[in-house]
Amino acid sequence: MILSGLGIVTRQLVRSLRHLTQQQQPCGVDLTLRQVSKWTSAATIDFDNTKRQAAKTSSLPFDNNNNNTSQTIILQPGAYLIDFNETVRIPLNCMGTVFPRSSLWRSGVGIVAGVIDAGYEGAMGALMEVKNPNGVVLYRNAKLAQIVFEELGQSVEGYNGVYQSSTTNVGRDGTEKV
């Protein structure tokens, strides 16, 4: 069963919301842009994580607009790591999935994120792919994605990996510590 946006908010599964009534949707909760980064090194991925090394990243700055209250970033075609403002607390009987908002893919921009395991608590991020040959302009705190929660048939042991309780999605041994 998929939880409603109201159910997600009521159970406080998504935290640090910018504006509850604007982010709560019928089938999920909108996620907003906190930070954009680019990769500056290769990563190493193995089977048992003994050799795992996250790619190094570098945060990209937002530009101040005329009145210094709105901040934007212009992204050219390519791949970017994005951090969301919101954090999550996934119950042991649920999983989360992140989907791009339609306004994003209609603009030639995609969001890719993995399954958010039962028991995970902490920061969230995603891969953003700008396919539009003219790029995209994003405002800080723009609504980019929606998280949807699905109940599992039973409670599970839950996630207990290196990203648990993280404050950023850069990853193990990236520039920012988790």
Side-chain angles (χ1 to χ4, degrees), residues 8-42:
I8 293 167
V9 169
T10 301
R11 292 169 67 177
Q12 297 181 348
L13 304 183
V14 178
R15 298 173 177 182
S16 306
L17 294 170
R18 293 282 172 237
H19 196 281
L20 172 66
T21 58
Q22 291 182 16
Q23 288 181 257
Q24 180 182 315
Q25 299 299 326
C27 298
V29 172
D30 286 335
L31 302 175
T32 61
L33 177 63
R34 179 173 67 86
Q35 180 63 53
V36 179
S37 300
K38 64 179 179 177
W39 289 274
T40 59
S41 74

Side-chain angles (χ1 to χ4, degrees), residues 11-15 87-91 119-122 149:
R11 292 169 67 177
Q12 297 181 348
L13 304 183
V14 178
R15 298 173 177 182
T87 60
V88 292
R89 182 184 57 83
I90 313 290
Y120 174 74
E121 186 170 345
F149 288 85

Side-chain angles (χ1 to χ4, degrees), residues 2-6 8 24-29 99 146-149:
I2 293 178
L3 300 179
S4 68
L6 176 61
I8 293 167
Q24 180 182 315
Q25 299 299 326
C27 298
V29 172
F99 297 96
Q146 186 175 127
I147 186 168
V148 174
F149 288 85

Side-chain angles (χ1 to χ4, degrees), residues 58-107:
S58 174
S59 297
L60 300 176
F62 285 90
D63 294 325
N64 287 329
N65 285 343
N66 303 335
N67 59 10
N68 289 334
T69 59
S70 296
Q71 295 182 317
T72 59
I73 189 166
I74 300 170
L75 300 178
Q76 296 305 314
Y80 301 89
L81 178 65
I82 58 170
D83 283 294
F84 296 116
N85 287 305
E86 297 74 22
T87 60
V88 292
R89 182 184 57 83
I90 313 290
L92 295 177
N93 68 338
C94 288
M95 62 160 286
T97 308
V98 175
F99 297 96
R101 287 176 43 95
S102 64
S103 56
L104 206 62
W105 59 260
R106 290 173 200 265
S107 300

